[in-house]
Amino acid sequence: MFSALKPRRWAACLFVYPSRAFSASNSFYASSMATAETAGAETGLYGFDVLKTPKGFRRFVDEAIQKSGELVTYISRLPPSMEIIRAMDEISDTVCSVIDSAELCRNTHPDREYVEEANKASMRINEYLHFLNTNGSLYTAIVKAESERVLHTEEAQRAAHALRVDFENGGIHLSDDKLQRVNQLNVEIARLGNKFNENIMFDPGFVDIFPASRIPKNMQYHFDAIYRPISTASNEISKVGDTRREKGYKIPTDSSTLSSILKWVSDAEVRKQAYIKGNSTPRANLIVLDKLIGARHELAQIMGCKSYAEFAIRPNMAASPDVAMSFLLNLSKSVRCKADEEFNIIREFKRQYLNQRGADLEPWDETFFTGMMKSSAYGLESSVLSSYFSLSGCLEGLKVLVQALFGATFYQVPMSSGESWHPDVVKLSLHHRQEGDLGFLYLDLYSRKGKYPGCAHFAVRGGRRASETEYQLPVVALVCNFVGSPLSSTSRLNHFDVETLFHEFGHALHSLLSRTDYQHFSGTRVVLDIAEIPSNLFEYYAWDYRVLKTFARHETTGDAIPEKLVKAMNDSRKRFSATELQRQIFYSLIDLKLFGAQNNDSMDTVSMVADLKLQHTSWNHVEGTHWHTRFSHLINYGAGYYSYLYARCFAATIWWDTCHEDPLSPDTGTALREKFLKHGGAKDPLNLLKDFIGDGILSCNGGSIPDASSLCREMDL
């Protein structure tokens, strides 16, 4: 029943501020920890009184279990009615408050005691979910409410159907022994997923590079210096006692650092070493993944499916792995010719650069040479671009966007004592002149040790109709890792960070602007196939000159970003876009193939991934590497990563058909809000999209796929 209520965190996959909040002045941040609205008021984390101390998480779980138990008893005595759905959603809201708060705390709180208590709370409440998911009286109540036609709204009917399906996906309709095995498998799958992600975090891999001069000077301060004894003279010598030593650097090969090495280090051997190490770590995840594939497959078979992919995709718009696979293969064919052309262009550039006619193009060459080619062709220097994108200016841009599209604005609101988890955090209210407050947003934007390493949107509380006269407003958090601090006026973003900010902003707006009766459908609680549409759509705004000129101003002159520069940025973006699209198709195929096997025989995942790379990309597989062991989306998506490409296609259609002509007009905003954002998951996704984009969605073998023509035209495919 409550399996669909797992907290939505959109990494990388990626949110906002107000009139005062968007101020570039340091006073904006200085006031963020102001006294509470009521003098002397005190609360706990995120406004929950119970979370005033780390051990408050224990009471938080206790109270959630007690309240849910009372609601279970209440529901079991009700006749079939709308009240059953409302009370069931109240259980959902109660449990999700704990799950979501613990998830945010685990990823952001600087106090280890809070983190440890949040971890324990997460485990306890998830154990309680197993009780709820196997509660016969709740299942019986929902089945009767659905079958006896007592539900008077479309959303209530969808809620009943979704809850029943969730119960059955949890195995409640199975025999006792099969149900017990399903529960064991779900616990094991969760454990393996956590282990997979922990291995990525704690085993990034390292390479030792000597001498130190092989690393660009502007990067060296990021890395730990190391030394080794040498017997010959060198410019890299430091004397310790009478021992002459050569200086080098220990380079971690986590995804972020590896990306920087591959882009900026000219020494091909350094790039090669880092690439191979980074893509063959953590090795322990080969075994973890094998076990995860086996556990998911067994679960699917107990549930009557041929594969886990079938089990996972069945509720989505695609409806079956065959439909998703057909979509991916067609897209792969469409992009192959242009991707091969791009490969040949990069290879020829490398040969000219090295003056070696027979030089092969290796995977560790791609980022370095494409970056060099773009810089040469378009004159784009990262320092020049970042001079137009102060963080405060970008936040002002988001304010302008919301005001223009939706007639709303963000205002900074003071937090009560104990509500915040770090001095950098600010709280904003999204306010509409006629409608009042629409929701609240926490911003935690700066990097610090021990914090979630990417950019993500975290739910804190879903929106729902609490009574005839009261609406529970949504609360979300936008977590990023930008360099700098609130006390610095020089925090600047590269354009990739700007795009990421706008991406996450799309997720936040989906949460803040949805107006559903039930929190079960609030904001991003939607079928996977449409979850990434708002985030992909708002990326377009980060590339549009008409939007950028409203906030992107030079740090010294104050001049708006030149249209010529924005055109160069867009031309550069398109330069190797087929290669990037091909990569995303490859990732999606890995995910679908790994969990699409129809038998439980152990598979050689390394060989399978290598074969897919040779079949569906223009690049060679490097022997000994197994990149997929750090592909965390295998855990979060599990046969659903194809949905990212679904969203890209849908977002392209919406942008070109609805937004492009006048991206900042109120009419555009009204269309986005009324036809998509406000519905969350309350409306059937197929009907939702048909009403919005009409022919932009196609039928395919019992499922639905996006029309990719807008994306293909955009990319000149």
Side-chain angles (χ1 to χ4, degrees):
M1 156 185 164
F2 298 103
S3 60
L5 304 181
K6 294 174 183 176
R8 301 277 190 184
R9 185 177 77 230
W10 307 105
C13 135
L14 319 155
F15 288 82
V16 187
Y17 283 67
S19 61
R20 286 183 295 261
F22 284 98
S23 167
S25 69
N26 293 336
S27 61
F28 164 69
Y29 291 97
S31 63
S32 68
M33 299 299 291
T35 56
E37 296 150 81
T38 303
E42 183 179 355
T43 185
L45 277 179
Y46 325 127
F48 294 108
D49 286 340
V50 72
L51 296 181
K52 292 177 180 176
T53 67
K55 289 184 171 58
F57 269 108
R58 302 180 187 184
R59 186 177 158 201
F60 204 16
V61 176
D62 291 340
E63 291 180 353
I65 291 174
Q66 179 181 347
K67 181 178 179 180
S68 297
E70 293 169 355
L71 285 165
V72 168
T73 301
Y74 172 65
I75 291 168
S76 67
R77 296 171 180 167
L78 287 172
S81 62
M82 292 279 287
E83 177 62 11
I84 286 176
I85 309 302
R86 188 211 63 78
M88 202 86 87
D89 193 65
E90 190 173 350
I91 295 177
S92 171
D93 184 61
T94 301
V95 172
C96 279
S97 293
V98 178
I99 294 175
D100 292 338
S101 297
E103 186 72 4
L104 178 57
C105 182
R106 281 161 18 111
N107 283 278
T108 62
H109 208 292
D111 187 329
R112 289 304 305 171
E113 188 178 0
Y114 263 106
V115 173
E116 289 165 7
E117 289 293 339
N119 281 326
K120 293 174 185 176
S122 181
M123 287 187 287
R124 280 189 64 206
I125 200 68
N126 276 288
E127 288 171 3
Y128 181 66
L129 282 177
H130 290 303
F131 163 76
L132 292 175
N133 289 338
T134 56
N135 188 288
S137 63
L138 290 179
Y139 178 62
T140 299
I142 210 71
V143 168
K144 287 184 177 180
E146 184 182 18
S147 62
E148 295 189 17
R149 301 175 182 268
V150 295
L151 306 178
H152 310 309
T153 68
E154 178 188 353
E155 185 174 346
Q157 293 163 10
R158 277 186 52 75
H161 176 77
L163 290 167
R164 177 180 58 78
V165 170
D166 284 345
F167 268 121
E168 292 168 359
N169 283 344
I172 196 168
H173 59 300
L174 301 173
S175 61
D176 289 346
D177 58 333
K178 287 185 177 180
L179 177 57
Q180 183 178 7
R181 182 56 182 156
V182 165
N183 287 336
Q184 291 171 347
L185 286 167
N186 279 323
V187 170
E188 178 67 2
I189 288 167
R191 186 191 68 81
L192 289 167
N194 287 337
K195 184 62 177 174
F196 191 93
N197 288 327
E198 285 174 6
N199 287 342
I200 294 172
M201 183 178 296
F202 296 117
D203 184 14
F206 293 89
V207 289
D208 294 345
I209 302 299
F210 290 96
S213 58
R214 298 174 75 188
I215 301 298
K217 286 187 176 180
N218 63 345
M219 298 180 70
Q220 291 178 1
Y221 74 94
H222 290 292
F223 309 125
D224 292 335
I226 53 177
Y227 299 89
R228 67 181 180 185
I230 62 170
S231 57
T232 58
S234 167
N235 292 330
E236 303 278 345
I237 303 296
S238 72
K239 291 187 177 182
V240 179
D242 294 325
T243 304
R244 289 150 61 87
R245 302 195 303 167
E246 182 178 40
K247 182 180 180 181
Y249 289 101
K250 181 174 285 293
I251 311 295
T253 56
D254 60 276
S255 295
S256 178
T257 306
L258 179 60
S259 294
S260 296
I261 293 294
L262 295 178
K263 183 173 183 178
W264 299 112
V265 175
S266 60
D267 189 317
E269 186 60 29
V270 172
R271 297 199 309 270
K272 177 181 178 180
Q273 290 181 45
Y275 177 91
I276 291 175
K277 187 64 176 180
N279 286 281
S280 57
T281 306
R283 187 165 182 80
N285 273 352
L286 287 170
I287 296 174
V288 175
L289 183 58
D290 285 345
K291 291 179 178 178
L292 179 65
I293 291 169
R296 282 178 166 173
H297 181 74
E298 184 182 350
L299 172 66
Q301 290 207 309
I302 293 175
M303 302 304 297
C305 296
K306 295 177 182 177
S307 68
Y308 182 77
E310 180 184 329
F311 176 69
I313 296 174
R314 196 167 50 177
N316 296 346
M317 292 172 62
S320 76
D322 290 343
V323 171
M325 182 62 74
S326 174
F327 165 74
L328 292 174
L329 294 178
N330 285 334
L331 203 55
S332 181
K333 290 177 184 176
S334 297
V335 78
R336 185 62 191 248
C337 182
K338 187 173 182 183
D340 286 345
E341 289 177 7
E342 291 177 355
F343 179 89
N344 292 332
I345 290 170
I346 302 167
R347 181 173 60 188
E348 182 60 26
F349 181 85
K350 176 184 177 180
R351 288 173 174 177
Q352 292 180 10
Y353 178 78
L354 298 178
N355 196 24
Q356 297 177 6
R357 295 306 306 164
D360 290 328
L361 187 62
E362 303 292 352
W364 51 83
D365 292 329
E366 179 192 348
T367 308
F368 178 73
F369 286 112
T370 56
M372 187 181 296
M373 293 169 72
K374 288 180 179 182
S375 178
S376 173
Y378 305 108
L380 297 175
E381 294 292 338
S382 58
S383 60
V384 173
L385 287 178
S386 65
S387 69
Y388 287 96
F389 295 114
S390 68
L391 178 55
S392 58
C394 292
L395 299 176
E396 179 67 28
L398 297 182
K399 174 195 170 185
V400 168
L401 196 59
V402 170
Q403 178 68 54
L405 286 172
F406 308 114
T409 192
F410 283 99
Y411 292 100
Q412 184 186 344
V413 293
M415 285 183 281
S416 299
S417 175
E419 183 177 354
S420 176
W421 56 97
H422 191 274
D424 290 357
V425 176
V426 295
K427 183 181 182 181
L428 312 171
S429 164
L430 179 60
H431 185 83
H432 192 280
R433 183 176 296 178
Q434 282 78 41
E435 302 174 42
D437 287 336
L438 301 177
F440 298 94
L441 174 67
Y442 292 110
L443 291 170
D444 185 356
L445 299 180
Y446 294 97
S447 178
R448 61 178 178 270
K449 186 176 180 180
K451 182 182 173 183
Y452 175 77
C455 292
H457 158 258
F458 290 81
V460 178
R461 186 177 70 193
R464 70 184 182 105
R465 190 156 302 287
S467 69
E468 291 293 327
T469 58
E470 181 185 4
Y471 193 84
Q472 176 177 291
L473 296 178
V475 181
V476 297
L478 173 56
V479 176
C480 294
N481 274 272
F482 299 137
V483 176
S485 75
L487 300 180
S488 170
S489 61
T490 59
S491 182
R492 308 209 163 271
L493 307 184
N494 60 48
H495 191 260
F496 174 80
D497 289 334
V498 177
E499 183 183 51
T500 299
L501 182 65
F502 275 67
H503 178 107
E504 294 301 334
F505 179 56
H507 285 309
L509 284 180
H510 202 181
S511 292
L512 294 170
L513 293 177
S514 76
R515 280 299 176 269
T516 58
D517 289 341
Y518 306 116
Q519 80 90 39
H520 193 86
F521 293 136
S522 178
T524 57
R525 300 188 195 279
V526 296
V527 297
L528 199 58
D529 292 352
I530 68 171
E532 291 285 346
I533 292 177
S535 55
N536 275 268
L537 177 63
F538 277 89
E539 285 184 17
Y540 282 94
Y541 282 85
W543 291 92
D544 192 282
Y545 172 68
R546 294 164 294 180
V547 177
L548 293 178
K549 70 178 182 180
T550 66
F551 70 88
R553 299 191 176 276
H554 194 271
E555 60 183 338
T556 303
T557 66
D559 293 338
I561 190 168
E563 186 172 7
K564 183 179 179 180
L565 180 57
V566 177
K567 183 181 184 303
M569 290 163 54
N570 278 280
D571 289 344
S572 174
R573 178 195 188 196
K574 290 180 66 175
R575 184 74 188 272
F576 299 105
S577 57
T579 300
E580 178 55 35
L581 178 59
Q582 189 180 68
R583 186 174 8 258
Q584 293 301 323
I585 295 167
F586 168 54
Y587 294 169
S588 301
L589 288 168
I590 291 173
D591 180 48
L592 201 55
K593 282 279 191 179
L594 285 175
F595 299 112
Q598 297 190 8
N599 59 65
N600 205 18
D601 298 337
S602 60
M603 72 170 73
D604 181 351
T605 64
V606 176
S607 295
M608 191 210 76
V609 170
D611 290 344
L612 285 174
K613 187 170 187 180
L614 292 173
Q615 292 171 32
H616 295 282
T617 82
S618 310
W619 298 80
N620 292 327
H621 171 74
V622 179
E623 197 66 32
T625 61
H626 40 83
W627 167 86
H628 59 291
T629 56
R630 60 166 48 174
F631 187 34
S632 61
H633 288 309
L634 294 175
I635 309 303
N636 302 331
Y637 282 82
Y641 193 74
Y642 74 89
S643 63
Y644 171 77
L645 291 170
Y646 261 50
R648 277 200 66 184
C649 292
F650 286 134
T653 299
I654 294 169
W655 172 258
W656 293 108
D657 290 358
T658 302
C659 305
H660 180 261
E661 183 175 341
D662 191 351
L664 293 175
S665 77
D667 288 344
T668 298
T670 297
L672 292 176
R673 187 179 181 190
E674 295 300 316
K675 292 186 177 182
F676 192 90
L677 296 173
K678 82 170 188 180
H679 297 288
K683 193 172 180 179
D684 176 78
L686 182 59
N687 293 334
L688 180 73
L689 286 172
K690 280 185 175 179
D691 290 346
F692 194 6
I693 58 177
D695 295 337
I697 186 166
L698 308 172
S699 297
C700 177
N701 298 326
S704 300
I705 62 173
D707 180 353
S709 59
S710 291
L711 180 64
C712 289
R713 283 195 302 271
E714 175 186 310
M715 297 179 61
D716 298 326
L717 299 182

